[in-house]
């Protein structure tokens, strides 16, 4: 006779002030497959923890985003925000879908070039561009988004020395009614800084002002803030036309659209409160269309959307290492996934689903990572079905920022696997090996030998 | 180790403590363990019984059952006159 499926015994106190949930099934189903590939198979074949990316979701996200804007506005261009996820395979999916590259360092710039992006389709943002970076960008005819006046002067000098014209835009920061205001990057709109640098650029014969850029924040929940920002950039562009009879070719609204993650402390899940890409598209395009641009002279609209395109294409598979009981009686479960590879657990309550069938019984659980550190908490409060040692869990919406901000700390970083449209799996980044670290470490001669 | 006399357990896993008015929900395997405790089975007997019928090893079962019994104690559902 076959034995019954084991579930560990559970007793849960029913709180008198809460609806009696006893007997009602938990809402969600196990996440047994990602794009028709079994989670357990992925873990067996590639190990645990494991990052998994869905090419299907990624392509469908960028196509939806393009559609949202292109159905509302005549000229739209997406530029992939490298920092969000600069794994080459991810970048190339987006480049295949027509996205340019948006980079914020010499390293990211080289990565974009290496991926085959033409220099003129790389937008170079950020406050940290070295003289060498600027030289390279000017030589390759990339567009430099000027962040501060020191950079303006550096560009002027370098372009002068190279005797090469350079296409520039400025990053503008502004009050959009959203706080805190991101005023540390670029030039302020309200206090006239933006006009000050625009005047200098227009007077320079080696720089051509091709665009105006802003990035008003990240994980923005207010489409209206984008309407305000688009309106202010339009006002600047029209002012430039009036003053210098010069038309900027694009307005770049940056990134920042919220993904479906749930911010810590939010009362409702992100799936309920995050505006859709259509809401953002509507706000931005109506602001531009209703501004004073002549009808046939609307500038190209550039978007540097990051997390909203890649977050839900990424999953992290982990395994249960142990179940424990804390001194106050709460259940705690230790996973093999630490905050060192799941940076976003500091600000999101990630959705976490078991990968195998479970019953309706759930337990309030604290989910810890494996690091010997107090901060290593993946979820400080989650109601989960009963998990056993070795069970797999799937952490959702991890495609943005984790695979770039992860740290090699205590453990080595895991593999990343891409599931293609046909359901084939590809390793797109190998797991880190001890040798990778030894390759960059150096031991001075006098420290080579010791006796214990 | 005895289940408190004032505890009512339904087959569906609803546990009511008439002394304190507290109620609890217990999953089916938990109900079985409470029933076995009522029949004054020892922990070893309980573990053995579960291992024979469920697909889990004795080590896991032993760990989970003792954790469960600790919680029963914490919720004062077990009279602990012969405290170990
Ligand atoms: C200049 C710029 N563009 C785009 C992005 C992408 O933002 P998000 O991932 O919030 O869409 C960022 C992220 O901080 C950024 O700094």
């Amino acid at each position: 006779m076959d034995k019954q499926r084991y579930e560990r015994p559970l007793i849960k106190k029913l709180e008198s002030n809460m609806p009696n949930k006893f007997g009602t099934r938990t809402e969600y189903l196990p996440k047994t497959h990602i794009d028709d590939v079994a989670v357990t198979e992925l873990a067996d074949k590639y190990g645990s923890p494991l990052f998994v990316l869905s090419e299907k979701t990624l392509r469908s996200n960028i196509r939806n985003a393009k559609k949202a804007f292109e159905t509302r506005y005549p000229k739209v261009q997406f530029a992939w925000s490298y920092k969000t996820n600069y794994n080459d395979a991810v970048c190339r999916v987006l480049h295949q879908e027509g996205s340019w590259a948006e980079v914020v360092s010499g390293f990211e710039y080289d990565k974009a070039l290496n991926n085959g992006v033409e220099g003129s389709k790389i937008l170079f943002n950020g406050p940290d561009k070295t003289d060498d970076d600027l030289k390279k960008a000017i030589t390759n005819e990339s567009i430099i988004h000027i962040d501060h006046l020191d950079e303006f002067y550096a560009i002027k000098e370098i372009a002068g020395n190279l005797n090469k014209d350079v296409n520039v835009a400025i990053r503008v920061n502004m009050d959009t009614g959203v706080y805190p205001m991101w005023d540390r990057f670029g030039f302020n709109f309200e206090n006239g800084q933006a006009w000050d640098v625009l005047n200098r650029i227009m007077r320079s014969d080696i720089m051509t002002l091709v665009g105006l850029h802003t990035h008003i924040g990240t994980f923005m929940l207010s489409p209206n803030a984008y309407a305000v920002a688009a309106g202010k950039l339009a006002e600047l562009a029209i002012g430039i036309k009036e003053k210098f009879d010069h038309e900027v070719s694009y307005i770049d609204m940056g990134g920042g659209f919220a993904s479906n993650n749930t911010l810590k402390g939010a009362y409702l899940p992100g799936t309920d409160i995050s505006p859709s890409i259509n809401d953002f598209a509507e706000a931005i395009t109506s602001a531009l269309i209703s501004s004073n641009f002549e009808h046939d002279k609307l500038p190209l609209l550039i978007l540097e959307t990051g997390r909203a395109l890649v977050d839900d294409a990424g999953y992290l598979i982990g395994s249960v290492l142990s179940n424990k009981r804390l001194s106050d009686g709460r259940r705690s479960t230790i996973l093999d996934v630490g905050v060192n590879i799941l940076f976003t657990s500091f600000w999101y309550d990630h959705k976490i689903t078991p990968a195998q069938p479970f019953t309706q019984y759930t337990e309030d659980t604290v989910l810890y990572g494996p690091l010997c550190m107090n901060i290593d908490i993946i979820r400080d409060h989650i109601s989960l079905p009963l998990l056993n040692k070795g069970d797999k869990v799937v952490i959702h919406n991890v495609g943005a920022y984790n695979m770039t901000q992860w740290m090699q700390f205590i453990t080595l970083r895991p593999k990343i696997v891409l599931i293609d449209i046909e359901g084939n799996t590809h390793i797109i980044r190998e797991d880190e090996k001890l040798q990778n670290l030894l390759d960059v470490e150096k031991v001075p001669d006098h420290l080579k030998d010791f006796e214990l | 180790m005895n289940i408190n006399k004032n505890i009512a357990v339904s087959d569906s896993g609803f546990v009511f403590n008439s002394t304190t008015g507290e109620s609890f929900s217990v999953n089916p395997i938990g109900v079985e363990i409470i029933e076995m405790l009522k029949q004054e089975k020892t922990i070893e007997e309980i573990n053995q019984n579960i291992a024979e019928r469920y697909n889990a090893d004795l080590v896991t079962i032993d760990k989970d059952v003792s954790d469960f019994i600790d919680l029963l104690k914490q919720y004062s559902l077990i009279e602990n006159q012969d405290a170990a």
Side-chain angles (χ1 to χ4, degrees):
Chain A
M1 199 187 79
D2 273 353
K3 291 189 177 182
Q4 302 174 54
R5 190 185 140 77
Y6 175 75
E7 175 180 67
R8 60 185 157 78
L10 168 84
I11 178 161
K12 203 169 157 184
K13 190 164 167 181
L14 299 170
E15 303 293 342
S16 52
N17 57 349
M18 295 234 302
N20 185 343
K21 286 199 192 134
F22 173 61
T24 59
R25 266 197 96 80
T26 37
E27 297 285 348
Y28 52 110
L29 297 166
K31 181 78 181 164
T32 56
H33 290 76
I34 299 172
D35 288 2
D36 295 332
V37 183
V39 170
T40 45
E41 249 168 62
L42 287 165
D44 286 347
K45 186 160 175 197
Y46 301 109
S48 170
L50 177 71
F51 277 100
V52 179
L53 281 156
S54 159
E55 182 177 342
K56 192 160 127 195
T57 307
L58 191 54
R59 285 193 193 271
S60 124
N61 287 349
I62 177 72
R63 285 175 195 175
N64 281 340
K66 280 167 78 172
K67 194 164 134 205
F69 281 89
E70 285 170 356
T71 50
R72 293 177 166 89
Y73 194 84
K75 289 182 284 178
V76 178
Q77 178 62 52
F78 277 81
W80 177 237
S81 153
Y82 262 50
K83 71 174 89 57
T84 309
N85 189 325
Y86 43 59
N87 178 280
D88 283 346
V90 170
C91 295
R92 283 169 196 242
V93 169
L94 290 152
H95 296 322
Q96 281 186 353
E97 295 290 336
S99 294
W100 294 358
E102 183 270 326
V103 303
V104 291
S105 69
F107 156 71
E108 287 188 358
Y109 185 92
D110 289 344
K111 224 162 184 288
L113 275 188
N114 188 58
N115 276 330
V117 182
E118 275 165 57
S120 62
K121 295 186 172 164
I122 303 178
L123 307 177
F124 202 162
N125 274 318
D128 176 19
K129 309 177 187 90
T130 64
D131 287 355
D132 282 344
D133 295 338
L134 290 172
K135 217 176 278 172
K136 199 161 27 181
I138 294 167
T139 313
N140 291 321
E141 297 176 1
S142 300
I143 304 173
I144 303 174
H145 289 183
I146 306 177
D147 187 82
H148 45 74
L149 267 186
D150 290 308
E151 188 173 294
F152 166 83
Y153 286 112
I155 295 169
K156 204 170 154 186
E157 189 185 325
I158 293 166
N161 293 342
L162 293 170
N163 195 19
K164 197 154 166 51
D165 288 346
V166 49
N167 286 332
V168 298
I170 60 162
R171 174 156 176 176
V172 182
N173 68 62
M174 61 186 80
D175 184 358
T176 58
V178 169
Y179 297 91
M181 188 168 132
W182 278 32
D183 58 1
R184 53 179 280 196
F185 303 107
F187 303 90
N188 186 254
F189 175 83
E190 284 82 14
N191 72 9
Q193 274 176 2
W195 264 113
D196 177 53
V197 68
L198 287 171
N199 287 331
R200 290 171 203 251
I201 294 170
M202 294 309 299
R203 279 190 219 108
S204 138
D205 27 324
I206 206 148
M207 288 189 202
T208 308
L209 180 76
V210 292
L212 296 172
H213 171 241
T214 190
H215 172 73
I216 59 175
T218 193
F219 210 90
M220 304 293 289
L221 293 165
S222 157
N224 187 55
Y226 283 92
V228 174
K232 288 187 175 175
L233 288 192
E235 192 183 318
L236 268 188
I238 290 157
I240 294 161
K241 166 81 177 145
E242 278 165 7
K243 182 163 177 189
F244 298 102
D245 194 28
H246 174 80
E247 278 164 26
V248 298
S249 23
Y250 68 83
I251 280 185
D252 179 344
M253 294 301 301
F257 306 154
S259 68
N260 278 339
N261 259 306
T262 303
L263 288 176
K264 269 195 196 309
Y267 187 64
L268 291 168
T271 39
D272 290 355
I273 58 170
S274 295
S276 73
I277 198 98
N278 281 300
D279 299 332
F280 290 112
E282 184 63 32
I284 292 172
T285 57
S286 358
L288 292 180
I289 289 168
S290 61
S291 65
N292 290 331
F293 285 116
E294 284 171 49
H295 224 64
D296 52 345
K297 297 251 170 79
L298 281 170
L300 172 72
L301 169 58
I302 296 184
L303 297 144
E304 302 170 350
T305 310
R307 71 175 79 236
L309 295 181
V310 73
D311 225 5
D312 68 348
Y315 302 84
L316 178 54
I317 299 174
S319 309
V320 174
L321 298 179
S322 177
N323 285 307
K324 281 188 177 180
R325 181 73 59 192
L326 298 176
S327 57
D328 62 3
R330 274 181 309 160
R331 161 69 63 194
S332 77
T333 294
I334 308 174
L335 298 177
D336 61 357
V337 171
V339 291
N340 58 324
I341 58 167
L342 192 64
F343 207 81
T344 50
S345 57
F346 288 122
W347 58 83
Y348 294 144
D349 279 340
H350 277 289
K351 176 178 166 187
I352 301 177
T353 325
Q356 48 283 310
F358 47 81
T359 66
Q360 74 268 39
Y361 298 96
T362 59
E363 207 172 12
D364 292 340
T365 309
V366 190
L367 276 184
Y368 291 119
L371 309 177
C372 302
M373 304 277 292
N374 229 359
I375 54 160
D376 194 22
I377 303 171
I378 299 300
R379 283 289 303 267
D380 41 24
H381 184 98
I382 182 171
S383 177
L384 274 183
L386 310 184
L387 296 167
N388 296 316
K389 178 175 156 58
D391 280 356
K392 300 287 175 278
V393 296
V394 176
I395 307 176
H396 301 251
N397 295 323
V398 303
Y401 297 103
N402 286 304
M403 285 161 256
T404 47
Q405 294 191 38
W406 55 355
M407 287 185 265
Q408 188 279 310
F409 178 61
I410 298 187
T411 54
L412 296 164
R413 285 172 285 194
K415 286 190 176 67
I416 309 177
V417 165
L418 178 86
I419 304 178
D420 71 19
I421 305 285
E422 264 92 50
N424 305 310
T425 54
H426 309 263
I427 295 174
I428 56 172
R429 186 179 147 117
E430 280 293 352
D431 50 326
E432 229 163 12
K433 312 282 190 304
L434 173 62
Q435 194 56 45
N436 299 137
L437 298 178
L438 298 184
D439 283 347
V440 289
E441 288 195 21
K442 287 186 169 28
V443 179
D445 277 343
H446 71 286
L447 299 177
K448 288 208 165 124
D449 300 313
F450 55 81
E451 265 174 59
L452 293 176
Chain B
M1 192 161 47
N2 265 321
I3 288 287
N4 198 314
K5 301 281 179 305
N6 303 317
I7 304 301
V9 185
S10 78
D11 287 349
S12 60
F14 187 75
V15 172
F16 183 67
N17 182 344
S18 60
T19 317
T20 62
E22 289 170 328
S23 46
F24 304 84
S25 81
V26 182
N27 64 350
I29 197 163
V31 174
E32 290 178 18
I33 294 171
I34 293 178
E35 291 302 337
M36 286 189 265
L37 286 170
K38 278 187 165 172
Q39 297 159 20
E40 304 193 7
K41 289 207 161 53
T42 65
I43 293 187
E44 290 69 32
E45 286 168 333
I46 295 174
N47 291 344
Q48 204 57 52
N49 180 303
I50 291 173
E52 279 162 19
R53 293 181 300 116
Y54 290 92
N55 61 346
D57 58 275
L58 257 179
V59 176
T60 306
I61 293 169
D62 182 42
K63 195 181 61 163
D64 291 346
V65 169
S66 61
D67 178 64
F68 181 69
I69 290 176
D70 282 347
L71 271 188
L72 295 181
K73 286 182 193 157
Q74 193 170 324
Y75 290 141
S76 308
L77 298 173
I78 284 183
E79 281 174 352
N80 212 0
Q81 74 276 72
D82 54 355

